[in-house]
Amino acid sequence: QVQLAESGGGLVQAGGSLRLSCAASGRTFSSYHMGWFRQAPGKEREFVAAISWSGGSTYYADSVKGRLTISRDNAKNTVVLQMNSLKPEDTAVYYCAAYLKRSSWFYRTENWYDYWGQGTQVTVSS
């Protein structure tokens, strides 16, 4: 069982930065790949970024490449999403999710993730 808690959301002007954190409970954090997803009002939840259990592999949605960076610290049971050059279209609730290591990792597919946080609101004003 893993519990996830996001923090760091807020209101920022376009071009600004935010740093989202996801704290995980439990002693098996390194057994999980981690992902960030977001859901804007009236839209489906979409993949943002993912990082492998070791941090050795990272993946991004095309819309955020070069602006958002995912990282993790297994000693602190945390995953971070550094968000730079934010745009109004980045406005959404951001969720972190944990994916127990298996033979395959469908990192873009939310249904394969095992645990989810409650989300944190990010609002980017123009």
Side-chain angles (χ1 to χ4, degrees):
Q1 186 83 8
V2 175
Q3 293 184 325
L4 304 173
E6 303 95 336
S7 62
L11 173 64
V12 64
Q13 289 187 333
S17 299
L18 282 175
R19 182 180 175 89
L20 304 185
S21 293
C22 176
S25 67
R27 295 174 291 179
T28 60
F29 181 66
S30 61
S31 296
Y32 293 85
H33 305 309
M34 298 297 295
W36 284 95
F37 290 75
R38 67 186 181 187
Q39 187 167 21
K43 295 187 177 181
E44 294 186 350
R45 190 154 55 184
E46 64 175 1
F47 168 75
V48 175
I51 188 166
S52 62
W53 70 272
S54 66
S57 298
T58 57
Y59 306 92
Y60 297 92
D62 289 343
S63 60
V64 306
K65 281 181 181 177
R67 301 187 298 116
L68 275 58
T69 303
I70 188 171
S71 61
R72 70 187 293 162
D73 186 336
N74 285 346
K76 296 182 179 180
N77 283 15
T78 59
V79 60
V80 169
L81 186 67
Q82 178 65 43
M83 309 170 69
N84 299 327
S85 301
L86 284 164
K87 304 176 181 180
E89 51 263 44
D90 294 318
T91 295
V93 178
Y94 283 72
Y95 300 89
C96 71
Y99 185 115
L100 183 63
K101 286 188 290 182
R102 305 174 181 82
S103 57
S104 299
W105 180 27
F106 303 99
Y107 57 86
R108 293 182 180 271
T109 308
E110 63 174 284
N111 291 343
W112 284 84
Y113 284 77
D114 301 284
Y115 301 102
W116 291 83
Q118 293 298 309
T120 185
Q121 176 70 47
V122 171
T123 303
V124 184
S125 63
S126 58

